[in-house]
Amino acid sequence: MSDTRSQLLHTALEAVASASNLNDLKAVEVTYLGRAGQITELLKTLKDLSPEEKRTTGQAIQEMKTAFTAAYDARFLALQKAEIDAKLRSEFFDIT
């Protein structure tokens, strides 16, 4: 993976890890995987490459996208659980 792509992945993973709520996490997803997202833009550059370059570059970009998605999904579940737990704590009602 080129230095630019590895730096982009590193930055994206840091952004996912630093998201403090689901809205922040969604904004990170849009920044990297949205219509004009940074990873999406990399995928758009494949059309200008030779078939051999497409194969290797496309595979590297897809691995980067997979790593980002896995980190995003894990963080989403953690934040979702934290929000549910916080809501349950705030709505605790003792019926005794």
Side-chain angles (χ1 to χ4, degrees), residues 21-34:
N21 60 48
L22 292 174
N23 289 333
D24 291 346
L25 189 62
K26 185 64 178 171
V28 170
E29 180 189 29
V30 170
T31 299
Y32 291 97
L33 291 181

PDB file of all heavy atoms in Angstrom, residues 21-34:
ATOM      1  N   ASN A  21     -19.738  10.129  19.736  1.00  0.00           N
ATOM      2  CA  ASN A  21     -21.153   9.755  19.696  1.00  0.00           C
ATOM      3  C   ASN A  21     -21.513   9.300  18.285  1.00  0.00           C
ATOM      4  O   ASN A  21     -20.690   9.379  17.364  1.00  0.00           O
ATOM      5  CB  ASN A  21     -22.042  10.910  20.178  1.00  0.00           C
ATOM      6  CG  ASN A  21     -21.886  12.154  19.334  1.00  0.00           C
ATOM      7  OD1 ASN A  21     -21.916  12.100  18.108  1.00  0.00           O
ATOM      8  ND2 ASN A  21     -21.715  13.294  19.992  1.00  0.00           N
ATOM      9  N   LEU A  22     -22.735   8.829  18.116  1.00  0.00           N
ATOM     10  CA  LEU A  22     -23.135   8.267  16.823  1.00  0.00           C
ATOM     11  C   LEU A  22     -23.177   9.322  15.722  1.00  0.00           C
ATOM     12  O   LEU A  22     -22.868   9.019  14.568  1.00  0.00           O
ATOM     13  CB  LEU A  22     -24.490   7.566  16.950  1.00  0.00           C
ATOM     14  CG  LEU A  22     -24.484   6.288  17.790  1.00  0.00           C
ATOM     15  CD1 LEU A  22     -25.899   5.750  17.964  1.00  0.00           C
ATOM     16  CD2 LEU A  22     -23.600   5.233  17.161  1.00  0.00           C
ATOM     17  N   ASN A  23     -23.525  10.556  16.053  1.00  0.00           N
ATOM     18  CA  ASN A  23     -23.541  11.618  15.043  1.00  0.00           C
ATOM     19  C   ASN A  23     -22.138  11.921  14.529  1.00  0.00           C
ATOM     20  O   ASN A  23     -21.937  12.121  13.326  1.00  0.00           O
ATOM     21  CB  ASN A  23     -24.185  12.888  15.601  1.00  0.00           C
ATOM     22  CG  ASN A  23     -25.685  12.731  15.784  1.00  0.00           C
ATOM     23  OD1 ASN A  23     -26.317  11.941  15.093  1.00  0.00           O
ATOM     24  ND2 ASN A  23     -26.235  13.464  16.730  1.00  0.00           N
ATOM     25  N   ASP A  24     -21.170  11.972  15.448  1.00  0.00           N
ATOM     26  CA  ASP A  24     -19.777  12.185  15.038  1.00  0.00           C
ATOM     27  C   ASP A  24     -19.295  11.034  14.158  1.00  0.00           C
ATOM     28  O   ASP A  24     -18.595  11.247  13.167  1.00  0.00           O
ATOM     29  CB  ASP A  24     -18.859  12.296  16.255  1.00  0.00           C
ATOM     30  CG  ASP A  24     -19.085  13.562  17.063  1.00  0.00           C
ATOM     31  OD1 ASP A  24     -19.762  14.481  16.554  1.00  0.00           O
ATOM     32  OD2 ASP A  24     -18.583  13.615  18.191  1.00  0.00           O
ATOM     33  N   LEU A  25     -19.676   9.824  14.537  1.00  0.00           N
ATOM     34  CA  LEU A  25     -19.257   8.653  13.773  1.00  0.00           C
ATOM     35  C   LEU A  25     -19.851   8.672  12.370  1.00  0.00           C
ATOM     36  O   LEU A  25     -19.179   8.345  11.393  1.00  0.00           O
ATOM     37  CB  LEU A  25     -19.658   7.377  14.512  1.00  0.00           C
ATOM     38  CG  LEU A  25     -19.111   6.084  13.951  1.00  0.00           C
ATOM     39  CD1 LEU A  25     -17.583   6.062  14.000  1.00  0.00           C
ATOM     40  CD2 LEU A  25     -19.665   4.898  14.718  1.00  0.00           C
ATOM     41  N   LYS A  26     -21.104   9.084  12.260  1.00  0.00           N
ATOM     42  CA  LYS A  26     -21.745   9.186  10.943  1.00  0.00           C
ATOM     43  C   LYS A  26     -21.030  10.229  10.087  1.00  0.00           C
ATOM     44  O   LYS A  26     -20.835  10.028   8.884  1.00  0.00           O
ATOM     45  CB  LYS A  26     -23.229   9.539  11.106  1.00  0.00           C
ATOM     46  CG  LYS A  26     -23.989   9.555   9.818  1.00  0.00           C
ATOM     47  CD  LYS A  26     -24.043   8.185   9.191  1.00  0.00           C
ATOM     48  CE  LYS A  26     -24.862   8.218   7.920  1.00  0.00           C
ATOM     49  NZ  LYS A  26     -24.774   6.974   7.180  1.00  0.00           N
ATOM     50  N   ALA A  27     -20.615  11.322  10.697  1.00  0.00           N
ATOM     51  CA  ALA A  27     -19.880  12.358   9.961  1.00  0.00           C
ATOM     52  C   ALA A  27     -18.546  11.814   9.449  1.00  0.00           C
ATOM     53  O   ALA A  27     -18.125  12.125   8.326  1.00  0.00           O
ATOM     54  CB  ALA A  27     -19.656  13.573  10.845  1.00  0.00           C
ATOM     55  N   VAL A  28     -17.892  10.989  10.246  1.00  0.00           N
ATOM     56  CA  VAL A  28     -16.636  10.366   9.820  1.00  0.00           C
ATOM     57  C   VAL A  28     -16.895   9.440   8.631  1.00  0.00           C
ATOM     58  O   VAL A  28     -16.141   9.433   7.653  1.00  0.00           O
ATOM     59  CB  VAL A  28     -15.977   9.589  10.986  1.00  0.00           C
ATOM     60  CG1 VAL A  28     -14.808   8.743  10.498  1.00  0.00           C
ATOM     61  CG2 VAL A  28     -15.520  10.548  12.060  1.00  0.00           C
ATOM     62  N   GLU A  29     -17.980   8.675   8.705  1.00  0.00           N
ATOM     63  CA  GLU A  29     -18.313   7.773   7.593  1.00  0.00           C
ATOM     64  C   GLU A  29     -18.531   8.558   6.304  1.00  0.00           C
ATOM     65  O   GLU A  29     -18.019   8.179   5.243  1.00  0.00           O
ATOM     66  CB  GLU A  29     -19.566   6.961   7.923  1.00  0.00           C
ATOM     67  CG  GLU A  29     -19.951   6.019   6.794  1.00  0.00           C
ATOM     68  CD  GLU A  29     -21.294   5.367   6.984  1.00  0.00           C
ATOM     69  OE1 GLU A  29     -22.180   5.961   7.623  1.00  0.00           O
ATOM     70  OE2 GLU A  29     -21.471   4.254   6.459  1.00  0.00           O
ATOM     71  N   VAL A  30     -19.256   9.651   6.389  1.00  0.00           N
ATOM     72  CA  VAL A  30     -19.521  10.469   5.199  1.00  0.00           C
ATOM     73  C   VAL A  30     -18.217  11.057   4.658  1.00  0.00           C
ATOM     74  O   VAL A  30     -18.008  11.107   3.444  1.00  0.00           O
ATOM     75  CB  VAL A  30     -20.546  11.582   5.524  1.00  0.00           C
ATOM     76  CG1 VAL A  30     -20.649  12.587   4.404  1.00  0.00           C
ATOM     77  CG2 VAL A  30     -21.905  10.957   5.817  1.00  0.00           C
ATOM     78  N   THR A  31     -17.327  11.471   5.545  1.00  0.00           N
ATOM     79  CA  THR A  31     -16.054  12.062   5.129  1.00  0.00           C
ATOM     80  C   THR A  31     -15.215  11.073   4.317  1.00  0.00           C
ATOM     81  O   THR A  31     -14.553  11.466   3.358  1.00  0.00           O
ATOM     82  CB  THR A  31     -15.252  12.522   6.364  1.00  0.00           C
ATOM     83  OG1 THR A  31     -16.012  13.506   7.057  1.00  0.00           O
ATOM     84  CG2 THR A  31     -13.914  13.093   5.965  1.00  0.00           C
ATOM     85  N   TYR A  32     -15.270   9.801   4.686  1.00  0.00           N
ATOM     86  CA  TYR A  32     -14.406   8.824   4.029  1.00  0.00           C
ATOM     87  C   TYR A  32     -15.125   7.944   3.010  1.00  0.00           C
ATOM     88  O   TYR A  32     -14.536   7.564   2.008  1.00  0.00           O
ATOM     89  CB  TYR A  32     -13.695   7.961   5.075  1.00  0.00           C
ATOM     90  CG  TYR A  32     -12.687   8.761   5.839  1.00  0.00           C
ATOM     91  CD1 TYR A  32     -12.986   9.305   7.080  1.00  0.00           C
ATOM     92  CD2 TYR A  32     -11.440   9.034   5.297  1.00  0.00           C
ATOM     93  CE1 TYR A  32     -12.069  10.078   7.769  1.00  0.00           C
ATOM     94  CE2 TYR A  32     -10.515   9.807   5.969  1.00  0.00           C
ATOM     95  CZ  TYR A  32     -10.844  10.322   7.205  1.00  0.00           C
ATOM     96  OH  TYR A  32      -9.922  11.102   7.866  1.00  0.00           O
ATOM     97  N   LEU A  33     -16.400   7.628   3.242  1.00  0.00           N
ATOM     98  CA  LEU A  33     -17.101   6.724   2.328  1.00  0.00           C
ATOM     99  C   LEU A  33     -18.290   7.365   1.630  1.00  0.00           C
ATOM    100  O   LEU A  33     -18.967   6.704   0.841  1.00  0.00           O
ATOM    101  CB  LEU A  33     -17.589   5.472   3.077  1.00  0.00           C
ATOM    102  CG  LEU A  33     -16.523   4.516   3.568  1.00  0.00           C
ATOM    103  CD1 LEU A  33     -17.175   3.329   4.257  1.00  0.00           C
ATOM    104  CD2 LEU A  33     -15.631   4.045   2.448  1.00  0.00           C
ATOM    105  N   GLY A  34     -18.553   8.621   1.907  1.00  0.00           N
ATOM    106  CA  GLY A  34     -19.680   9.306   1.284  1.00  0.00           C
ATOM    107  C   GLY A  34     -19.458   9.505  -0.211  1.00  0.00           C
ATOM    108  O   GLY A  34     -18.445   9.103  -0.782  1.00  0.00           O
TER     109      GLY A  34
END
